Amino acid sequence: MIYQICYASEATSSNEQLMVDLREILTRAMHFNYVHEIQGVLYYADRYFFQCLEGEKTQILDLLESIRKDARHENLKVLQQKDIEHMNFKDWSMKFVRKRSEVKAFFAEMGSARFDPYLLEGESLEHFLLILKDTEAETPA
Ligand SMILES: Cc1cc2nc3c(=O)[nH]c(=O)nc-3n(C[C@H](O)[C@H](O)[C@H](O)COP(=O)(O)O)c2cc1C
């Protein structure tokens, strides 16, 4: 069985520092997640993070505890955690996706003028994951 945790959080750094933070986070995630057989996706836009982590349950819970203590973000809220059958982000130790018009359109359909991951739950969260699955990955500038 594979465990999945999805959460929302808010960036604390200035916009310039954030690009540096993202590079560091993704470099660390690429190595650490690979070694611990963790995969997932990180979406960043408008000062909010959305991340989904998938892997062995204790590994995922331990990583979430380190991430929770990270001062580069705050107000971390777990949106969903459950057992899943298949990894959704195969070949990605951490797929990175940045602000996309499809995401803005998706939130507009939900009645939100902007990307607000705290609104995601149940069906809307699954739908958002599908969008991220279908979207091309990026590297932080
Ligand atoms: C939004 C966000 C997502 C992160 N995702 C990961 C990740 O997927 N894998 C990882 O190893 N570290 C990730 N980190 C970094 C960890 O929070 C932390 O820096 C790392 O686990 C090292 O913690 P330590 O210095 O307490 O050992 C992320 C940090 C943030 C702010």
Side-chain angles (χ1 to χ4, degrees):
M1 214 33 120
I2 300 153
Y3 203 62
Q4 180 197 62
I5 291 185
C6 300
Y7 74 80
S9 65
E10 285 178 67
T12 51
S13 320
S14 66
N15 285 337
E16 304 87 72
Q17 180 58 35
L18 207 88
M19 288 303 120
V20 177
D21 288 353
L22 276 168
R23 257 199 306 262
E24 282 176 11
I25 289 166
L26 290 165
T27 304
R28 146 92 196 189
M30 220 157 57
H31 296 289
F32 184 91
N33 297 8
Y34 179 76
V35 170
H36 295 88
E37 295 182 2
I38 293 167
Q39 297 180 345
V41 66
L42 176 65
Y43 183 80
Y44 173 78
D46 304 337
R47 318 269 323 142
Y48 289 123
F49 291 109
F50 169 87
Q51 189 174 34
C52 178
L53 300 163
E54 298 180 352
E56 197 272 316
K57 188 170 182 176
T58 54
Q59 302 279 7
I60 295 296
L61 292 171
D62 286 354
L63 176 58
L64 184 74
E65 282 326 296
S66 322
I67 292 176
R68 200 187 276 285
K69 292 191 211 116
D70 199 313
R72 292 171 288 195
H73 64 171
E74 60 189 3
N75 302 329
L76 188 154
K77 184 190 173 200
V78 172
L79 304 168
Q80 170 170 294
Q81 50 185 321
K82 62 176 187 181
D83 290 315
I84 55 169
E85 302 247 327
H86 308 283
M87 299 283 242
N88 286 298
F89 299 94
K90 281 210 176 65
D91 306 330
W92 289 105
S93 46
M94 189 46 58
K95 180 176 183 177
F96 177 60
V97 182
R98 210 188 336 215
K99 192 157 181 159
R100 304 285 299 211
S101 54
E102 299 94 301
V103 172
K104 195 168 195 286
F106 171 70
F107 277 86
E109 264 176 51
M110 291 206 306
S112 175
R114 63 193 179 99
F115 168 60
D116 179 353
Y118 292 94
L119 297 175
L120 296 168
E121 55 170 3
E123 250 178 68
S124 63
L125 197 153
E126 295 299 337
H127 188 152
F128 185 55
L129 281 177
L130 282 180
I131 294 176
L132 297 182
K133 219 172 144 169
D134 287 345
T135 304
E136 262 183 63
E138 290 165 65
T139 45

